[in-house]
Amino acid sequence: DQQVKQNSPSLSVQEGRISILNCDYTNSMFDYFLWYKKYPAEGPTFLISISSIKDKNEDGRFTVFLNKSAKHLSLHIVPSQPGDSAVYFCAASWPFGKVVFGQGTRLTINP
Amino acid sequence: NAGVMQNPRHLVRRRGQEARLRCSPMKGHSHVYWYRQLPEEGLKFMVYLQKENIIDESGMPKERFSAEFPKEGPSILRIQQVVRGDSAAYFCASSPGAGGDYEQFFGPGTRLTVL
């Protein structure tokens, strides 16, 4: 039972443009949603998070949007840079408990 | 403050052997999580531990797998009688508290290869 889904395994974006990564979830009990970034042969690193009581959180070039009615969140990166090329994992957490990850989306930024 | 340490980084075992993966959380972190990443797949939650306690092991296979986080020393993920399907990257993460409002810091992972 995949509770967090990233339906696009890969995404290719031109440098300078906006990258939009999408994520859907099934359980309305999740209280936080997070995005992690992963380079090959490294562990994931935290990027940005959003509480379920908010609908937007912004940190520099990164913005996460949450649509609770649609059980959907998205990560916007603008402008996209070559160093953003990585695998991005969407994740959702239970209150005071475990975190569930999506399958990941491989983002490639083309010069 | 050193990050999350995992060792070994690479581990090769033959079928039927035991694999022991170690994780030292960041200083001050008492919450440890283990995840498994199979080739071409996402991170799968395995187990969540606090010092000397298993909080949630719902993602751990019922047989051959065990985890501990003793009062002193690293957290250990132990896989007995390994099979080829256990080949994967195993990541450990730590946090100072539980839940999504606490960022999880990940280690570099241990890549287990079962021959």
Side-chain angles (χ1 to χ4, degrees):
Chain A
D1 177 28
Q2 190 68 33
Q3 298 187 63
V4 178
K5 293 182 182 179
Q6 294 176 256
N7 292 317
S8 298
S10 62
L11 176 66
S12 188
V13 174
Q14 193 169 1
E15 182 180 358
R17 298 288 185 100
I18 183 171
S19 296
I20 300 176
L21 296 96
N22 294 303
C23 178
D24 297 298
Y25 61 95
T26 58
N27 199 313
S28 57
M29 296 299 291
F30 292 133
D31 67 342
Y32 269 88
F33 301 90
L34 313 95
W35 285 93
Y36 282 80
K37 177 180 178 180
K38 185 181 182 303
Y39 293 116
E42 294 183 12
T45 54
F46 172 78
L47 202 54
I48 191 170
S49 66
I50 187 168
S51 164
S52 60
I53 63 173
K54 294 186 176 181
D55 53 20
K56 178 182 175 182
N57 188 26
E58 193 172 353
D59 183 3
R61 296 186 298 115
F62 303 91
T63 304
V64 56
F65 295 93
L66 176 62
N67 182 334
K68 285 192 292 292
S69 60
K71 293 192 175 65
H72 177 84
L73 67 154
S74 60
L75 174 67
H76 292 211
I77 306 173
V78 56
S80 300
Q81 299 174 353
D84 296 331
S85 294
V87 177
Y88 289 78
F89 290 99
C90 168
S93 78
W94 297 93
F96 306 108
K98 68 184 183 188
V99 176
V100 180
F101 283 79
Q103 309 95 309
T105 296
R106 184 178 302 277
L107 175 64
T108 302
I109 306 301
N110 302 308
Chain B
N1 188 5
V4 177
M5 311 278 284
Q6 287 188 251
N7 68 82
R9 292 293 307 275
H10 300 273
L11 182 61
V12 179
R13 285 287 178 266
R14 296 191 181 278
R15 280 178 296 170
Q17 291 184 319
E18 179 180 287
R20 279 188 180 230
L21 289 64
R22 294 174 185 79
C23 170
S24 296
M26 286 182 70
K27 187 176 181 181
H29 288 191
S30 58
H31 300 254
V32 166
Y33 309 80
W34 284 94
Y35 297 87
R36 176 166 66 175
Q37 185 179 24
L38 295 168
E40 305 304 320
E41 292 190 15
L43 292 161
K44 299 285 189 185
F45 168 81
M46 297 183 74
V47 62
Y48 160 36
L49 310 102
Q50 290 185 39
K51 282 287 186 181
E52 299 183 276
N53 289 305
I54 295 175
I55 306 302
D56 185 338
E57 57 181 348
S58 58
M60 194 108 91
K62 294 287 186 279
E63 297 179 351
R64 303 188 297 107
F65 286 72
S66 63
E68 62 177 12
F69 188 17
K71 187 177 180 181
E72 301 290 338
S75 175
I76 306 285
L77 179 67
R78 184 180 175 204
I79 312 172
Q80 295 178 290
Q81 298 172 349
V82 295
V83 300
R84 289 223 173 102
D86 297 332
S87 295
Y90 292 82
F91 292 96
C92 165
S94 74
S95 67
D101 52 345
Y102 290 98
E103 175 187 344
Q104 291 188 18
F105 293 82
F106 280 80
T110 294
R111 272 144 192 87
L112 173 65
T113 301
V114 179
L115 302 177

